[in-house]
Amino acid sequence: MLPFVVLQDQYDIIEKHTQSGLELVEKYVKFVKERTEIEQNYAKQLRNLSKKYNGKRSSKDEPDCRLSSYQAFLDVLNEMNDYAGQRELIAENMMMNICIDLTKYLQEIKQERKTYLMDAKKAQQNLESTYKQLDSSKKRFEREWREAERAAQYAEKTDQDINATKADVEKAKQQAHMRAHVAEDCKNDYAAQLQKYNKEQNNFYFNEMPLIFNKLQDLDERRVRKLGQGYILFSDTEKQVMPIIGKCLEGITKAGTSVNERNDSMVIIEQNKSGFERPGDLDFEDFSQAINRTSSDTSLSTPKGPMDLLAKNRGKNFWLFSKRSKKFTPDKVMPTVTEDFTHLPPEQRRKKLQHKLDEISKELQKEVDQSEALGKMKDVYEKNPQMGDPASLASQITQTTQNIERFRAQLGKYETWLAEAGGRGDTLRYKSHAFNNNGSHDIHSPDGAHSDESTPDTSQAIYAEFDDDFEDEELTAPIGTCTAMYNFPGASEGTISMQEGEELEVVEGDKGDGWTRVRRNNGDEGYIPTSYATITLFK
């Protein structure tokens, strides 16, 4: 490979070429920036599109939510949203790894190139200055030599002139001698300047400029190599997210294959079947009996006239082909919505009652858990008065007890209606246990009132069983961590001991009562005073 030094007489070409190379880097950076804008706009449009069709999130109670085709469409929208995120990642990585990096590098090599060009200009100026000195000494030598020749010729002419005095001849010779001496000095100065210039010129063309050309060549090659790497990054940036994009597309394919038309049909049938039996055959109505009736018929019963027989079928509803009227008319009274859902068809009524039972059971479970927590807290306060006043919990315990009784009454009412409707009564069971003041399990109401074990309340017996789901309940995910600042014995029921500096997981935050529920690594859980630990919740 030939170096730039072979272009020693083409300095302007090298300067122009290196400048053009910098402009190419700037042009590529601008190109990538515009590409990132396209990616960002594309990602934004995809997100808006997904949000547009997924903006109105349907409630789980809506019928369509159970259809596989509906759920698959939601999965497609979610995958498209993730796909948009990958396009944003492409834009971000291109901006960081190409645009910002190349822009910084461009500034560095611009400054480096400027330094080299300034060195070349300085060397050129030094050479030109030396040449000017050489040219000046040359011209002076030439001028003084001519003067010396004229002086010598005049002295010779004067010496041969018979009319010239001896003094004139002597003066002419002295003048010629002086001019010759000056010319000799100029000659020596010219020779010295010429030697100096040749030395400077040799250094300029064989040392200084080759070094500068080599540096410019190295700079230009580094610039080209860096630009080539930028071209590769343009491709690699997108390749890096291709596996994730592929997963998004696979997710869309999976959503499509998950569509089950038979299952959707069964869901529609299950959701909308009324429970009515199909109508039987209509009886033949013989209107001729009014004419040919026998005397025995007359004596046994009163014949029905044609209007009576027509009225017999007037109330039958041909529900399969009927259309629901949206307008209220006096002769068509709309059904009244009742609490026990008797206005609905049998099957729909059973579903509504079952759903209502599940909701009440969940609310009841919350109140039972609250009652249990209050009981533990009261027990801790009674054993450790410095931590709180047990009497301050009385109003909360009373309110919780009232809520439990109210939900129990509602639960019993709806279970009765569900039994009437032919339902199985698969309600969501709850844990019905509390703690007495001694910390032992007992059949107490949440406020501490004792129930007679010899005469159990049969209306509440159905709540005493534990559901399998609760027996196999998984550990609650921690919401943060904490470090104990002081030792805590944890002697009361529901509390847990800890040592100063011990680290625990936070599973339930302080609800304003001064207690936080924590868990050790071995799974032990319990309450600690919030003020006894430094708590850090996850964001």
Side-chain angles (χ1 to χ4, degrees):
M1 181 182 66
L2 293 175
F4 275 8
V5 70
V6 300
L7 302 176
Q8 56 186 354
D9 57 344
Q10 301 293 334
Y11 173 79
D12 293 341
I13 297 298
I14 294 177
E15 181 181 11
K16 183 178 180 181
H17 168 72
T18 53
Q19 177 61 32
S20 176
L22 298 180
E23 292 174 354
L24 179 59
V25 176
E26 291 178 340
K27 184 181 294 185
Y28 180 62
V29 170
K30 184 178 179 182
F31 163 76
V32 177
K33 282 183 179 179
E34 292 187 9
R35 166 66 192 277
T36 59
E37 291 175 359
I38 292 174
E39 288 290 351
Q40 289 170 345
N41 291 333
Y42 179 46
K44 182 179 180 180
Q45 290 177 0
L46 286 178
R47 287 195 183 279
N48 290 338
L49 183 64
S50 299
K51 184 178 180 180
K52 175 182 178 182
Y53 286 91
N54 198 18
K56 297 180 179 179
R57 296 186 178 274
S58 302
S59 171
K60 293 182 179 180
D61 298 334
E62 293 189 8
D64 288 344
C65 291
R66 294 182 58 189
L67 300 178
S68 62
S69 56
Y70 183 86
Q71 285 297 331
F73 180 59
L74 294 180
D75 292 340
V76 170
L77 295 178
N78 291 333
E79 293 295 347
M80 285 304 300
N81 194 58
D82 294 342
Y83 178 86
Q86 297 308 309
R87 306 314 303 190
E88 290 174 340
L89 185 60
I90 290 175
E92 181 180 349
N93 289 341
M94 282 187 175
M95 181 61 70
M96 293 294 297
N97 300 333
I98 300 178
C99 296
I100 295 179
D101 184 59
L102 274 183
T103 300
K104 181 181 178 181
Y105 178 76
L106 186 62
Q107 297 301 321
E108 293 175 356
I109 62 174
K110 275 185 176 181
Q111 185 61 37
E112 185 179 354
R113 175 179 176 272
K114 182 178 179 181
T115 301
Y116 297 153
L117 294 181
M118 289 178 65
D119 291 343
K121 186 176 181 180
K122 183 178 180 180
Q124 180 72 26
Q125 289 174 348
N126 290 337
L127 184 62
E128 290 176 355
S129 175
T130 305
Y131 180 77
K132 288 180 180 179
Q133 293 176 3
L134 172 65
D135 187 59
S136 176
S137 64
K138 178 182 177 181
K139 290 179 179 179
R140 182 184 176 191
F141 167 61
E142 181 182 7
R143 184 174 63 251
E144 292 297 332
W145 180 252
R146 287 176 182 174
E147 290 291 333
E149 283 183 341
R150 282 196 295 268
Q153 290 174 1
Y154 178 76
E156 184 179 356
K157 183 178 178 181
T158 304
D159 186 40
Q160 295 177 359
D161 188 0
I162 58 175
N163 297 322
T165 64
K166 185 178 181 179
D168 291 336
V169 173
E170 187 65 26
K171 182 179 180 181
K173 287 182 177 180
Q174 289 180 356
Q175 185 69 24
H177 179 72
M178 184 188 67
R179 286 292 179 183
H181 181 72
V182 171
E184 187 65 24
D185 289 342
C186 289
K187 179 181 178 181
N188 294 334
D189 182 63
Y190 169 62
Q193 290 295 333
L194 180 62
Q195 185 179 7
K196 179 181 179 182
Y197 173 77
N198 288 335
K199 183 179 179 181
E200 288 290 338
Q201 180 177 250
N202 184 75
N203 183 58
F204 177 82
Y205 283 106
F206 290 94
N207 292 320
E208 291 184 321
M209 290 309 296
L211 180 61
I212 292 173
F213 283 157
N214 288 337
K215 289 181 178 179
L216 286 172
Q217 182 177 0
D218 178 67
L219 178 145
D220 191 64
E221 290 177 355
R222 282 188 282 114
R223 187 266 309 169
V224 173
R225 183 165 59 251
K226 186 72 172 179
L227 189 57
Q229 293 172 353
Y231 294 159
I232 296 174
L233 279 175
F234 187 82
S235 172
D236 289 347
T237 300
E238 190 158 354
K239 285 182 180 179
Q240 290 174 357
V241 300
M242 280 301 180
I244 303 178
I245 289 178
K247 289 183 179 180
C248 293
L249 298 178
E250 288 176 3
I252 294 176
T253 302
K254 184 178 179 181
T257 56
S258 68
V259 175
N260 188 324
E261 64 278 6
R262 177 65 64 180
N263 181 70
D264 285 3
S265 297
M266 295 305 297
V267 169
I268 293 297
I269 293 172
E270 184 66 23
Q271 286 179 343
N272 297 283
K273 63 182 180 181
S274 65
F276 289 125
E277 295 182 359
R278 298 179 182 179
D281 295 338
L282 296 177
D283 295 333
F284 176 76
E285 300 176 8
D286 191 357
F287 297 102
S288 63
Q289 289 182 358
I291 301 174
N292 300 324
R293 63 181 180 275
T294 60
S295 58
S296 60
D297 292 335
T298 304
S299 61
L300 293 174
S301 62
T302 304
K304 296 181 180 179
M307 297 305 294
D308 295 330
L309 294 172
L310 286 174
K312 178 181 179 181
N313 294 321
R314 186 176 299 165
K316 290 189 176 181
N317 181 18
F318 294 92
W319 51 269
L320 183 61
F321 305 104
S322 63
K323 295 182 180 179
R324 296 180 180 179
S325 174
K326 295 182 180 180
K327 296 182 179 180
F328 177 81
T329 54
D331 58 338
K332 189 173 289 187
V333 180
M334 299 298 290
T336 302
V337 178
T338 58
E339 185 182 6
D340 58 357
F341 303 112
T342 53
H343 62 286
L344 297 175
E347 189 68 23
Q348 301 302 317
R349 183 191 179 200
R350 282 193 292 271
K351 290 180 180 179
K352 285 288 186 181
L353 289 172
Q354 184 66 57
H355 179 70
K356 191 69 176 179
L357 274 171
D358 292 343
E359 288 183 346
I360 296 174
S361 296
K362 290 178 181 178
E363 294 297 327
L364 180 57
Q365 182 61 54
K366 291 180 183 178
E367 296 296 330
V368 171
D369 292 342
Q370 178 70 10
S371 175
E372 179 183 349
L374 290 172
K376 291 178 180 179
M377 199 178 306
K378 180 181 179 182
D379 183 59
V380 171
Y381 286 175
E382 289 176 347
K383 293 182 178 181
N384 303 277
Q386 71 276 10
M387 292 185 178
D389 183 10
S392 63
L393 303 175
S395 60
Q396 296 182 30
I397 293 176
T398 302
Q399 181 63 44
T400 304
T401 303
Q402 293 175 355
N403 292 340
I404 290 176
E405 294 303 323
R406 176 167 54 85
F407 284 127
R408 282 176 175 173
Q410 291 182 4
L411 201 63
K413 179 172 61 176
Y414 277 95
E415 284 191 337
T416 301
W417 287 338
L418 182 60
E420 293 175 354
R424 296 188 303 274
D426 298 332
T427 58
L428 183 64
R429 299 298 178 185
Y430 69 94
K431 297 177 287 185
S432 178
H433 55 78
F435 294 86
N436 60 12
N437 293 335
N438 297 324
S440 60
H441 292 276
D442 202 351
I443 307 177
H444 284 69
S445 60
D447 59 352
H450 183 69
S451 299
D452 188 359
E453 296 185 21
S454 60
T455 57
D457 187 355
T458 57
S459 64
Q460 298 180 8
I462 58 175
Y463 310 115
E465 299 178 1
F466 289 97
D467 189 85
D468 293 340
D469 293 339
F470 289 100
E471 292 177 358
D472 300 330
E473 184 177 4
E474 297 182 357
L475 292 177
T476 305
I479 63 173
T481 59
C482 69
T483 304
M485 295 189 296
Y486 314 103
N487 294 335
F488 179 65
S492 304
E493 182 67 28
T495 62
I496 187 172
S497 64
M498 64 179 181
Q499 301 296 323
E500 181 180 352
E502 184 179 359
E503 293 187 357
L504 305 167
E505 293 180 341
V506 178
V507 294
E508 182 180 336
D510 191 337
K511 298 182 179 179
D513 52 19
W515 293 90
T516 299
R517 189 174 183 86
V518 299
R519 179 169 59 220
R520 285 200 183 91
N521 292 334
N522 61 5
D524 293 342
E525 292 187 12
Y527 288 92
I528 63 169
T530 304
S531 59
Y532 276 42
T534 302
I535 299 175
T536 303
L537 298 180
F538 299 145
K539 295 182 179 179

